[in-house]
Amino acid sequence: MNHAHIPTLSRRKFLFSSTVITAYMMLSPSAFALNITENRNVSLAKFLTNKPLDQALVDRAFEALIKVDPNFQKKADALCSYIKDQQFQSIETLKKDAHFKKEHQTTARSIIAVFYLGYAGTPIPQAAHDNVRFVTYTEIETFKLTQKYTPIPGYSRWKTNYWANLPTA
Amino acid sequence: MNNLYDADVIIIGSGAVGANVANELALQGKSVIMLEAGPRVPRWKLLENFKNSGRHYDRNNAYPNNPWAPTSNQEGYLYNIGSFRMMPGMLKHVGGTTSHWGGATWRYTPNDFKIQSLYGVGRDWPISYDDLEAYYVRAEYAIGVAGSDSEDQSGIYPGKAYPKRSKPYPIAPEADLYMTTKIKEALIPAGIAVIHEPTVRIPKSYDGRPACQGNNNCDQICPIGTLYNGAIHAEKSVRNGVQLITEAVVHKIIVGNNQKIEAIKYLTPDKTEYTLKAKAFVIAAHSFETAKLLLMNNVANSSDMVGRNLMDHVGISMNFLAKEPMWMGRGPVQQATINQWREGDFRSQYSANKHSFANNNPQIDIAAKAISEGLMGQALDDRIMDLSSRWISIYTFFEQLPDPSNRIYPNPNWKDSIGLPGITINYDVDNYVIRGAKEAKKQYQLITELMGGDSLTINSAWENHDHLMGVLIMGDDPKNSVVNHEGRTFDHDNLFIASVGVIPASGVVNPTLTAIALGIRTADIIAREV
């Protein structure tokens, strides 16, 4: 993609004021290093998304992932062990690791996708049935990122004609 | 058969067109039975279905998909054998497919009615714009259209309000999106008119519907009931005396003396069959199902044109990144259009077009693509924020010409739960559209340059737009047309069709308003006769 004449919009510019938690995360990149004292799946999901996640939501997410792929928990455990054994402190260091195997990458992407897209599985367009499992809609991380600018579709919290102007930075 | 009728008029289908016909007849004192293949589902329940689904990419998912009344996404129900995979978003419940739609309610222009006379292609309508104008007004006021009274909708009369109107729109348009303002700033000085799409997403309360609050969910379900849908008139017609029978799948049409339709037979989900008689019959059961029903019964088809001449506004699309944040997804899902290339002598050579700026929230698609590319952590968030803020998308309609080989017919190799066939579709995009698409791609480049955008991506694969015209084609010659200008079938003088399927020349604008206007006109004609 050519961004030559358009400065990339920084996370700071967009998100610094969005929430206290987000601001804290920005200042603390290792905030979600694997926490061996908490539930493994919760710890892994927080590490991969770099987001604070609710245990009930993580449980729903893994339940969905396992319905789509019965072997998923094993794959998640293997990824978790790899992160712990190699002592990665954040997703930023993990993703740059030259030995981050394809199968672990796939597992990581599946977990990240659940929280950013709200479902597990593979959509089939223009079909009544596929293997997609619902996890969340209003708690989708993508919508949390953009919440200052756009409503979650179906959940407008603004009034008629709000769309005429953008929110001030 | 004796002359004991169950109703003056029986209407098959409770969508936007059928329900408006039913209501008009009821208001004129006629007894009406309206039959609907699907169930009657309250809006709150549909909304709950939407909110509790992970399948938001499937517009049909919130709606009932019953084995006797499947949606278009039911595997096997629609069987494509042509080069184009036609997959319209058909719904089967009270209110029909306008439960999820963009809400665009355009009029055709006078030239659209005489494309053969003016440009030597396609077919003329058997009526003119002037014949329909008063009914356009009635339709606009019935369904509550917000539109601009000062803009040229044709592209050939800059600065003039066009087409002419005998009455202003019932509702003034909503405020321009921030994105629309920026688009206008970039394109209008270069001579490209950007105008406001007439819409049933209303910025102030009308007929019990609240003002739009920009939920950006029109293509799925409007959570507050602003967006007009057929259920509004279905329910209104019931309050005005119409008998609405749901889960009633009409499968037989009985032809009696003098080729008059005497009765119809319908099946319930448990296959119980019922018979109903009326003085007149209106089929408004989605153009595909209407054509299928006629073909199953060998009714109204002496011309061999039932199911033929299928025309959708097949299109292409593009997206690019604006030079500054625009934030698609704020407000209604569509608003600004470019009708610059809707009219002109070029129509003798290639298709006209209408470019529409999409405003659907693109963020989930952006995130999905970024994740599939392997982005994680800060890079993923940055990509989502950057692209979501600058994403611009245009989708384009073309005018397919009527061609008898583009057709639908019953598919006996697939059966629903009550034994009725599916639908076979044969559709190929014609050269007139292919040539039009070449021109549109040049226009995409120009628009992107004028807006200072980058990363232009043209999506050349043909796209569905669910405007299924032509399969019940209107004309003045019974040898090549199914219905006359009244919507009356040539073969049976008490059988009428109310559907976008009667439209003989597709133009480049969404046809629902025109079908409702024609339906109201048909209702007036029937009311004088029964």
Side-chain angles (χ1 to χ4, degrees):
Chain A
M1 211 162 264
N2 170 23
H3 298 279
H5 64 290
I6 303 171
T8 303
L9 299 169
S10 72
R11 178 182 167 85
R12 178 174 294 268
K13 181 174 176 183
F14 278 114
L15 293 183
F16 193 83
S17 60
S18 60
T19 65
V20 172
I21 288 172
T22 310
Y24 169 72
M25 287 161 47
M26 289 166 53
L27 297 169
S28 178
S30 62
F32 295 111
L34 270 185
N35 180 345
I36 53 171
T37 63
E38 72 180 344
N39 173 292
R40 252 170 103 84
N41 288 343
V42 172
S43 180
L44 178 62
K46 285 180 177 179
F47 178 92
L48 293 171
T49 60
N50 203 33
K51 300 286 189 290
L53 297 172
D54 174 71
Q55 164 127 20
L57 183 63
V58 174
D59 289 346
R60 274 177 63 86
F62 273 80
E63 189 181 324
L65 287 162
I66 291 161
K67 276 183 180 159
V68 171
D69 174 4
N71 293 317
F72 193 82
Q73 189 62 62
K74 280 184 192 168
K75 295 172 183 177
D77 290 343
L79 174 59
C80 202
S81 297
Y82 178 71
I83 292 167
K84 199 165 65 173
D85 294 348
Q86 300 299 315
Q87 299 185 335
F88 290 108
Q89 290 305 297
S90 75
I91 184 68
E92 301 301 326
T93 53
L94 170 66
K95 72 184 187 187
K96 290 172 190 162
D97 172 40
H99 306 290
F100 187 19
K101 288 190 299 187
K102 193 175 176 185
E103 65 193 75
H104 286 333
Q105 288 180 28
T106 302
T107 303
R109 277 206 297 273
S110 297
I111 295 169
I112 291 165
V114 165
F115 296 102
Y116 275 76
L117 310 181
Y119 59 81
T122 306
I124 301 176
Q126 298 173 328
H129 303 91
D130 54 29
N131 71 347
V132 162
R133 301 284 177 165
F134 177 52
V135 175
T136 183
Y137 184 59
T138 53
E139 296 299 312
I140 289 173
E141 292 298 331
T142 299
F143 292 149
K144 288 183 187 175
L145 281 175
T146 58
Q147 65 183 347
K148 182 179 174 185
Y149 299 94
T150 50
I152 297 170
Y155 287 84
S156 174
R157 57 213 185 275
W158 299 312
K159 300 292 182 198
T160 309
N161 294 337
Y162 75 81
W163 47 81
N165 299 292
L166 294 185
T168 50
Chain B
M1 251 186 194
N2 60 37
N3 286 333
L4 288 175
Y5 298 108
D6 295 290
D8 291 327
V9 186
I10 288 173
I11 296 169
I12 302 165
S14 70
V17 185
N20 270 279
V21 175
N23 194 55
E24 290 292 328
L25 287 164
L27 289 173
Q28 296 186 50
K30 307 303 172 186
S31 63
V32 178
I33 294 172
M34 182 161 56
L35 299 159
E36 166 56 49
R40 190 178 192 173
V41 185
R43 199 168 53 80
W44 69 263
K45 204 166 183 177
L46 298 170
L47 190 56
E48 285 302 302
N49 291 347
F50 168 79
K51 288 180 172 180
N52 292 293
S53 166
R55 305 184 75 251
H56 295 122
Y57 46 86
D58 175 4
R59 292 176 305 151
N60 291 357
N61 196 61
Y63 299 92
N65 178 29
N66 285 304
W68 64 90
T71 73
S72 50
N73 284 352
Q74 178 58 47
E75 293 80 357
Y77 168 56
L78 299 181
Y79 176 59
N80 279 277
I81 60 172
S83 60
F84 177 70
R85 185 170 183 252
M86 181 160 283
M87 285 295 293
M90 299 163 68
L91 300 178
K92 291 182 184 167
H93 69 134
V94 172
T97 301
T98 48
S99 297
H100 63 23
W101 66 315
T105 39
W106 296 94
R107 295 179 175 201
Y108 283 119
T109 61
N111 287 4
D112 286 331
F113 287 77
K114 42 190 182 179
I115 186 170
Q116 170 59 228
S117 301
L118 291 172
Y119 307 114
V121 295
R123 282 174 63 153
D124 285 353
W125 286 64
I127 53 174
S128 69
Y129 176 84
D130 289 343
D131 293 322
L132 200 56
E133 201 280 334
Y135 295 96
Y136 269 136
V137 170
R138 281 172 63 182
E140 286 164 347
Y141 278 75
I143 67 176
V145 177
S148 167
D149 292 313
S150 61
E151 290 179 329
D152 168 35
Q153 296 180 354
S154 72
I156 54 172
Y157 297 107
K160 275 180 62 180
Y162 191 84
K164 65 180 181 185
R165 313 174 50 83
S166 60
K167 206 171 173 184
Y169 280 108
I171 309 157
E174 77 273 15
D176 279 357
L177 306 170
Y178 176 82
M179 182 173 73
T180 300
T181 302
K182 290 294 176 181
I183 291 165
K184 285 181 174 179
E185 285 174 5
L187 301 188
I188 290 175
I192 299 175
V194 180
I195 64 169
H196 191 285
E197 181 168 74
T199 177
V200 288
R201 272 183 317 273
I202 46 179
K204 67 170 193 176
S205 180
Y206 185 87
D207 194 29
R209 286 148 52 200
C212 175
Q213 293 178 16
N215 274 283
N216 200 251
N217 210 49
C218 323
D219 288 338
Q220 302 276 5
I221 180 170
C222 176
I224 61 172
T226 293
L227 182 74
Y228 175 81
N229 66 81
I232 289 169
H233 269 91
E235 300 298 345
K236 197 182 287 235
S237 74
V238 168
R239 292 194 295 275
N240 287 322
V242 171
Q243 297 176 67
L244 171 60
I245 303 174
T246 59
E247 300 184 342
V249 186
V250 176
H251 71 125
K252 284 184 184 161
I253 302 172
I254 310 301
V255 183
N257 296 331
N258 303 319
Q259 288 297 297
K260 278 192 179 293
I261 305 303
E262 280 191 350
I264 56 91
K265 293 178 184 284
Y266 71 86
L267 294 169
T268 58
D270 65 0
K271 299 189 187 178
T272 306
E273 187 180 69
Y274 294 88
T275 303
L276 291 172
K277 292 190 281 182
K279 298 173 189 169
F281 298 81
V282 181
I283 312 184
H286 189 282
S287 63
F288 276 14
E289 280 291 341
T290 299
K292 184 183 98 177
L293 178 63
L294 295 177
L295 290 167
M296 280 164 55
N297 287 275
N298 194 26
V299 161
N301 197 28
S302 65
S303 64
D304 190 34
M305 287 296 127
V306 172
R308 297 187 181 274
N309 302 299
L310 175 58
M311 298 173 279
D312 185 13
H313 289 130
V314 288
I316 58 173
S317 64
M318 61 92 114
N319 50 268
F320 66 91
L321 295 177
K323 63 185 178 186
E324 60 185 310
M326 296 285 189
W327 286 106
M328 267 179 74
R330 293 173 58 77
V333 297
Q334 55 198 66
Q335 179 185 79
T337 70
I338 297 172
N339 294 19
Q340 194 75 28
W341 298 285
R342 183 181 176 183
E343 289 283 11
D345 291 342
F346 64 84
R347 290 179 83 179
S348 64
Q349 303 301 315
Y350 57 86
S351 169
N353 70 49
K354 173 170 70 73
H355 298 304
S356 298
F357 286 86
N359 191 41
N360 315 67
N361 184 313
Q363 294 157 15
I364 294 297
D365 288 345
I366 288 168
K369 187 164 190 297
I371 292 165
S372 73
E373 289 172 8
L375 268 63
M376 298 178 185
Q378 192 63 55
L380 174 60
D381 288 1
D382 288 348
R383 169 74 67 84
I384 291 168
M385 290 305 290
D386 180 28
L387 266 57
S388 297
S389 71
R390 299 192 295 129
W391 196 266
I392 299 276
S393 177
I394 289 178
Y395 58 96
T396 301
F397 292 174
F398 298 106
E399 177 167 25
Q400 177 97 1
L401 301 174
D403 175 353
S405 64
N406 281 332
R407 63 180 301 206
I408 69 109
Y409 51 91
N411 174 20
N413 297 319
W414 184 93
K415 294 274 173 69
D416 64 19
S417 64
I418 52 176
L420 302 183
I423 294 170
T424 298
I425 306 165
N426 181 61
Y427 197 84
D428 299 303
V429 177
D430 64 20
N431 288 328
Y432 186 72
V433 169
I434 291 167
R435 290 193 295 270
K438 279 185 186 166
E439 297 300 314
K441 288 174 186 176
K442 295 177 201 166
Q443 295 154 15
Y444 286 168
Q445 297 278 2
L446 175 64
I447 292 163
T448 306
E449 285 165 22
L450 288 169
M451 291 194 64
D454 66 46
S455 308
L456 170 62
T457 303
I458 295 177
N459 310 303
S460 292
W462 302 112
E463 295 164 354
N464 284 274
H465 285 297
D466 305 3
H467 303 155
L468 307 170
M469 299 160 280
V471 292
L472 306 150
I473 200 160
M474 177 186 282
D476 51 18
D477 183 351
K479 291 191 183 69
N480 65 16
S481 304
V482 179
V483 300
N484 69 4
H485 70 94
E486 301 167 307
R488 190 193 310 264
T489 58
F490 281 107
D491 297 351
H492 313 278
D493 69 7
N494 68 335
L495 176 63
F496 297 80
I497 308 294
S499 164
V500 297
V502 305
I503 291 172
S506 69
V508 292
V509 295
N510 315 56
T512 300
L513 180 77
T514 299
I516 294 171
L518 289 166
I520 292 171
R521 187 170 181 267
T522 297
D524 281 0
I525 291 161
I526 295 170
R528 289 196 294 269
E529 296 181 5
V530 298

